[in-house]
């Protein structure tokens, strides 16, 4: 997938890739390089579920690698992984290439178009990671049947697809109850900035994790593939259901400027005009005056959120026709 094929909204919102990278912390820890942090534990857990923890030289595919925050975490592991990082956005890919990460090959491509870059059944695990919206092509952007077929094609038999999102309270699904009132108000502000909220006649068709529509590619399309359809060839379930799920709470500390940098880099806010963004900034600052906005000794805000991890293993194509055969003597 070339840059020209990326949606215009996504292209505009993430053109300043270097600045975008600056506002994203390292995935290994949301607060400095603390090996005991929630993110470090979550990464280890994800690698265990995808069966590549401790596997020397395993071939990993990082889809929607963005500027490489998650790729960095994988490249720093002691397993010396061979990593293919796929990113369709030219400026983000440029930032990633300049990092010159060990064992990492960067390719121009999206989840629906890996042919010519990644061979069939050559990958031990596929990852789609979104760390505070580090990549426009996190899984919620390419959750389509075509993408699942391509992921299925490159995975080894019984290889695993792992998905991970770090979602701060204000950037979580509407059903999520914010840990503190001020974060709930910030969530309200974020939702009020979405295109369909600002203009009811304009539908917001840009997929985001907090909308949870990404699950439809599993829960809708795949769940209809019952065993009898699989036997007859009328349906093709590609991945095991239900999805494995894990959630872990985290908190970290950000200055007002750091939080605004992160908040304002979210897609539909990043593409706002100057006056409109200024109004959002003023509303943002007003919310930070809420008494529930707790600060540490250094004056940094305590920001809460959850790490969401999902995983599912590939169902090999071979042998499906004999799933329900009976061996007779």
């Amino acid at each position: 997938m070339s840059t020209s094929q990326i949606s215009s909204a996504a292209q505009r919102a993430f053109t300043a890739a270097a600045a975008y990278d600056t506002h994203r912390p390292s995935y290994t820890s949301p607060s400095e390089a603390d090996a005991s942090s929630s993110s470090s534990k979550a990464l280890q857990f994800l690698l265990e579920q995808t069966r590549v923890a401790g596997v020397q030289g395993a071939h990993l595919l990082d889809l929607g690698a963005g500027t490489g925050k998650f790729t960095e975490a994988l490249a720093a592991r002691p397993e010396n992984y061979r990593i293919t990082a796929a990113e369709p956005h030219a400026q983000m890919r440029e930032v990633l290439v300049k990092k010159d990460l060990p064992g990492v090959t960067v390719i121009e491509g999206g989840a629906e178009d890996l042919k010519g870059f990644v061979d069939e059944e050559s990958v031990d695990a596929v990852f789609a990671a979104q760390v505070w919206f580090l990549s426009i092509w996190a899984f919620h952007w390419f959750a389509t049947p075509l993408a699942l077929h391509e992921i299925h094609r490159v995975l080894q038999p019984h290889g695993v697809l792992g998905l991970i999102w770090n979602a701060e309270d204000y950037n979580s699904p509407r059903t999520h109850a914010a840990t503190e009132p001020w974060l709930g108000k910030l969530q309200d502000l974020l939702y009020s900035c979405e295109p369909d909220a600002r203009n009811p006649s304009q539908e917001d068709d840009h997929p985001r994790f907090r909308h949870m529509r990404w699950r439809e590619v599993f829960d809708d399309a795949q769940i209809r593939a019952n065993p009898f359809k699989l036997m007859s060839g009328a349906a093709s379930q590609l991945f095991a259901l239900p999805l494995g799920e894990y959630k872990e709470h985290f908190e970290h500390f950000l200055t007002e400027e750091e939080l605004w940098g992160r908040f304002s880099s979210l897609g539909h806010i990043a593409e706002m005009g100057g006056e409109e963004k200024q109004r959002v900034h003023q509303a943002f600052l007003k919310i930070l005056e809420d008494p529930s906005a707790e600060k540490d000794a250094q004056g940094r805000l305590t920001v809460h959120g959850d790490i969401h991890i999902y995983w599912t293993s590939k169902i090999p194509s071979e042998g499906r026709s004999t799933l329900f055969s009976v061996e007779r003597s």
Side-chain angles (χ1 to χ4, degrees):
M1 180 178 291
S2 66
T3 302
S4 62
Q5 294 174 289
I6 301 173
S7 73
S8 58
Q11 181 67 40
R12 290 193 306 272
F14 300 99
T15 296
Y20 193 66
D21 187 67
T22 300
H23 290 299
R24 296 304 180 273
S26 170
Y27 190 78
T28 51
S29 172
S31 56
E32 310 302 332
D34 175 9
S36 64
S37 70
S38 294
S39 285
S40 296
K41 294 176 182 177
L43 176 59
Q44 177 65 27
F45 180 85
L46 177 61
L47 294 175
E48 290 171 358
Q49 302 313 309
T50 51
R51 304 171 191 154
V52 292
V55 180
Q56 286 293 319
H59 184 194
L60 312 182
L61 173 60
D62 184 8
L63 287 176
T67 59
K69 290 295 186 180
F70 187 72
T71 320
E72 286 178 292
L74 293 176
R77 295 279 304 189
E79 289 90 345
N80 298 312
Y81 293 130
R82 292 181 298 114
I83 304 165
T84 300
E87 173 54 50
H89 192 286
Q91 286 95 333
M92 285 196 162
R93 195 169 58 250
E94 182 180 355
V95 173
L96 174 53
V97 169
K98 287 181 178 178
K99 292 181 177 180
D100 194 24
L101 298 172
V104 175
T105 301
V106 181
I107 64 172
E108 177 184 2
E112 297 180 347
D113 185 19
L114 296 169
K115 290 182 174 65
F117 294 111
V118 186
D119 294 334
E120 184 173 344
E121 296 192 343
S122 66
V123 176
D124 295 292
V126 174
F127 296 96
Q130 180 269 330
V131 187
W132 293 288
F133 277 75
L134 67 86
S135 169
I136 59 173
W137 292 107
F139 189 72
H140 50 268
W141 282 94
F142 52 73
T144 66
L146 183 58
L148 281 192
H149 276 275
E150 188 64 352
I151 293 168
H152 187 275
R153 180 186 71 82
V154 302
L155 269 174
Q156 292 192 14
H158 306 292
V160 183
L161 167 63
L163 315 173
I164 182 168
W165 286 269
N166 280 2
E168 291 161 320
D169 279 359
Y170 61 82
N171 193 23
S172 295
R174 260 303 192 194
T175 54
H176 174 77
T179 309
E180 300 291 347
W182 75 277
L183 287 167
K185 293 178 181 179
L186 208 57
Q187 183 188 47
D188 291 339
L189 175 61
L190 180 61
Y191 274 89
S192 73
C193 293
E194 292 186 341
D196 51 355
R198 304 193 324 259
N199 182 357
S201 65
Q202 179 182 357
E203 183 179 357
D204 181 13
D205 60 355
H206 302 305
R208 299 179 175 90
F209 168 70
R210 61 180 176 272
H211 296 157
M212 299 302 286
R213 291 200 298 266
W214 63 270
R215 294 194 66 135
E216 293 175 4
V217 73
F218 295 103
D219 295 340
D220 183 30
Q222 282 214 118
I223 210 163
R224 291 198 297 264
N226 62 53
F228 300 102
K229 289 184 177 179
L230 289 173
M231 290 172 61
S232 66
S236 179
Q237 184 173 333
L238 304 176
F239 292 90
L241 293 176
L243 299 175
E245 298 187 34
Y246 172 80
K247 183 172 73 172
E248 183 172 315
H249 184 77
F250 69 84
E251 64 178 50
H252 58 143
F253 304 93
L254 299 173
T255 65
E256 293 183 5
E257 293 76 15
E258 288 169 337
L259 182 56
W260 170 247
R262 189 165 300 173
F263 188 88
S264 62
S265 68
L266 295 173
H268 56 285
I269 298 178
E271 64 178 350
M272 284 181 172
E275 287 189 14
E276 190 175 20
K277 186 177 290 186
Q278 183 60 30
R279 286 194 295 271
V280 174
H281 189 205
Q282 292 303 313
F284 171 90
L285 292 175
K286 185 68 175 176
I287 290 172
L288 299 193
E289 297 174 4
D290 190 285
S292 67
E294 180 184 348
K295 295 185 178 181
D296 68 2
Q298 301 177 43
R300 299 177 301 176
L301 292 154
T302 304
V303 182
H304 297 264
D306 290 301
I307 301 171
H308 301 261
I309 294 176
Y310 302 86
W311 66 94
T312 178
S313 57
K314 168 181 174 176
I315 299 176
S317 301
E318 295 78 8
R320 291 184 182 184
S321 60
T322 60
L323 279 175
F324 296 93
S325 63
V326 178
E327 185 175 330
R328 300 179 185 276
S329 57

